[in-house]
Amino acid sequence: MTAAAALTTVVPETKATTGRLAWLRERGMGASVLVAALAAAFGVVLVEVTAYIGATLQADPFIGDSGTLAVVVAILSVLLTAVAMYVAAVVTANTFSTIIAGRTRRIALMRLIGASARSQRAEVTGQGFVVGVIGAVAGLVVGLGFSALGIAVGDSLLDGAPESFSLLQPGVLLPVIGVALTTWLAAHIGSRRVLTVTPLQALGGSVERTHEDVSRRVGRNVGALVLIISGAALLFLGVLLGLVTPLGVVVAFVGGVLSFTGIVTGAVLVMPPVLRLVGRMFGRSATARLAAENALRYPERSSRMAIGVVMGVALVTMFAVALESSKALLMRQGDGSGADDMFAPMDAFAAIMMVLVAVSAVIAAVGLVNLLTIGVVQRKRELGLLRAIGLTGAQVRRMVLLEALHVTVAATVTGLVLGIAYGWIAAQSLLGAVPVLPDYEPAGLVLPAIPWLPVVVIVVATALLTVIAAVAPTRLATRVAPVEALAAD
């Protein structure tokens, strides 16, 4: 089911939706609802699973009195939900930024007839809140449905399953409320460009900032650099503390959040050099050069599409590298003996973690497909001009496909590098002070171990994502006749 079809199910066509809520059918809004629903459903499932595991542990006659494992699972649930909400917030903010670029002319016309910039931004922020509420409620329903199914399976497979377990856990409201508020805040952040639209821009169409415009945004660029540098310093400090105490991972975690937030904020500074290098891989044909130049001419648009994929790839790679590095250290302790019995539970835990983290990657993938489609719709006039000066429909489709490939390859490479670095830092800061055999001395340097199977899966999944993300945009790119496209608003 497409995002538009899903939105039609959640918000049917009525007299109200053709009036005050007609904007819900604008391209991009359906995918934003889907992103919010995925994040909310993920949080609800985690809350229910955590409560079910806690009830199962309490029913166990041996470990029922110890709540340590239940607390650890609860903390992990909160962290994973926060990660999913963080990814959803970034995707939503980027989507609303792109939508605002497409609404530039309409917003400018409203300014021309007397509307203030703040009232226009308040309207967009209100739309974000409505999107968040619809997505959160849909996610609550879907999450409760999957939770009921999972608990039924658990009751049939587990001997020590709790006799009576209620789905009506108070904690399920936390991710629902959190997603609604996060989406509202993300829309507010993504709509800040409304404040810069002038009435004179009513004469133009959708406008993205050029490289020169982005370079002049000194305040945001300096803020991003401060976050990256301070985060990198805390990561280094976490590694050093990890040689003395496992609590170094807490410092490293804060450094990772700060540095990655800096990368997200300053994506227009980080991604263009990578995009430039990747662009040289696609040859010197006319369509290849057009695709590369399009990615670099408007770095804000390209960075918005890339950063979601960077987040998804980096998250999955980070967990994979951290778990593999920990496993390698334990194998060196056991000298390779008893590997099957020792690491079977760890491998199972790693598989579960990868599946859970992959939800955030799916959210990021939805964002890429959505932004690429919106970008093609907003560039209807540009694509029509290319058709008018001689490019064939096949060449335009190839150009759009190469643009998607350009962004996803650059994002995948960046995500793999960041994920490997963050994963090793996590393992080092957590295990550097752990005593190891045979002398029970601190482990010291934990060598990074790269699990090649997950890396291959990530690369293959990214290739498939590129093809899927480009299907709808390539069809849209050639659907309209050149003359009609040139006459479009």
Side-chain angles (χ1 to χ4, degrees):
M1 181 183 289
T2 64
L7 183 59
T8 302
T9 304
V10 177
V11 187
E13 265 192 69
T14 64
K15 195 169 183 180
T17 59
T18 55
R20 289 181 300 172
L21 298 180
W23 54 267
L24 278 170
R25 302 192 176 277
E26 186 175 341
R27 190 175 296 275
M29 290 298 180
S32 298
V33 171
L34 178 60
V35 165
L38 284 172
F42 181 58
V44 168
V45 169
L46 283 178
V47 168
E48 295 287 359
V49 168
T50 302
Y52 183 76
I53 290 175
T56 303
L57 293 176
Q58 287 180 354
D60 191 284
F62 298 103
I63 60 175
D65 294 334
S66 174
T68 304
L69 185 57
V71 170
V72 170
V73 174
I75 292 173
L76 188 60
S77 170
V78 171
L79 289 176
L80 288 173
T81 303
V83 167
M85 288 171 59
Y86 179 83
V87 174
V90 173
V91 170
T92 302
N94 288 339
T95 300
F96 271 86
S97 295
T98 306
I99 290 172
I100 293 303
R103 289 184 183 178
T104 299
R105 186 176 184 184
R106 186 166 71 85
I107 293 171
L109 284 170
M110 295 298 294
R111 295 289 312 282
L112 195 62
I113 61 176
S116 67
R118 293 191 180 278
S119 67
Q120 290 292 294
R121 190 181 191 187
E123 178 186 347
V124 175
T125 303
Q127 291 173 358
F129 182 72
V130 173
V131 166
V133 170
I134 294 174
V137 171
L140 174 63
V141 175
V142 173
L144 288 176
F146 274 103
S147 298
L149 180 62
I151 289 169
V153 173
D155 288 341
S156 63
L157 297 179
L158 297 176
D159 294 333
E163 295 182 0
S164 59
F165 179 80
S166 173
L167 282 175
L168 301 178
Q169 298 293 324
V172 297
L173 294 178
L174 294 178
V176 173
I177 296 172
V179 166
L181 294 179
T182 303
T183 306
W184 168 75
L185 181 61
H188 180 72
I189 294 172
S191 64
R192 61 185 174 273
R193 189 180 172 186
V194 172
L195 300 175
T196 66
V197 176
T198 64
L200 187 62
Q201 289 176 278
L203 300 175
S206 64
V207 181
E208 289 281 1
R209 293 187 179 97
T210 63
H211 184 270
E212 292 74 18
D213 295 333
V214 170
S215 301
R216 287 196 291 265
R217 298 168 64 191
V218 179
R220 185 174 182 181
N221 295 339
V222 170
L225 287 174
V226 169
L227 284 172
I228 293 172
I229 293 171
S230 59
L234 287 175
L235 287 170
F236 182 70
L237 180 60
V239 170
L240 293 180
L241 287 176
L243 297 173
V244 180
T245 170
L247 292 178
V249 72
V250 177
V251 178
F253 175 78
V254 175
V257 172
L258 288 178
S259 60
F260 197 80
T261 302
I263 291 171
V264 172
T265 306
V268 290
L269 301 176
V270 177
M271 293 309 301
V274 184
L275 290 167
R276 188 173 288 106
L277 288 174
V278 172
R280 296 172 183 171
M281 298 167 47
F282 298 120
R284 302 296 298 171
S285 66
T287 50
R289 281 184 293 167
L290 276 171
E293 286 301 320
N294 283 337
L296 292 171
R297 187 182 305 118
Y298 299 109
E300 207 170 35
R301 180 172 62 197
S302 303
S303 300
R304 281 199 295 262
M305 288 190 289
I307 201 64
V309 180
V310 171
M311 283 191 297
V313 172
L315 281 170
V316 175
T317 307
M318 178 185 68
F319 276 94
V321 170
L323 290 168
E324 190 71 14
S325 300
S326 304
K327 182 178 175 181
L329 178 63
L330 293 175
M331 287 187 71
R332 286 198 296 274
Q333 285 194 72
D335 198 21
S337 60
D340 292 339
D341 295 335
M342 187 186 301
F343 298 117
M346 192 171 183
D347 289 337
F349 175 74
I352 293 171
M353 284 295 299
M354 294 296 288
V355 171
L356 292 176
V357 174
V359 174
S360 298
V362 170
I363 294 173
V366 172
L368 173 65
V369 176
N370 189 34
L371 290 174
L372 189 61
T373 304
I374 295 174
V376 168
V377 171
Q378 292 178 354
R379 293 162 56 201
K380 187 183 294 184
R381 181 176 293 178
E382 173 193 333
L383 297 174
L385 178 62
L386 291 174
R387 294 287 306 280
I389 62 176
L391 259 68
T392 65
Q395 286 177 312
V396 172
R397 285 193 298 270
R398 184 166 180 265
M399 183 191 73
V400 174
L401 178 60
L402 284 176
E403 285 183 25
L405 186 62
H406 193 175
V407 170
T408 50
V409 169
T412 302
V413 171
T414 305
L416 286 172
V417 171
L418 290 174
I420 291 171
Y422 284 133
W424 172 76
I425 290 171
Q428 177 65 58
S429 59
L430 179 64
L431 302 174
V434 174
V436 296
L437 296 173
D439 301 323
Y440 290 97
E441 294 291 330
L445 179 64
V446 178
L447 297 177
I450 300 175
W452 293 109
L453 179 59
V455 170
V456 171
V457 171
I458 289 171
V459 172
V460 172
T462 304
L464 291 175
L465 172 63
T466 302
V467 175
I468 295 171
V471 168
T474 50
R475 290 176 59 191
L476 288 170
T478 55
R479 183 176 295 175
V480 181
V483 174
E484 183 182 345
L486 289 172
D489 287 336

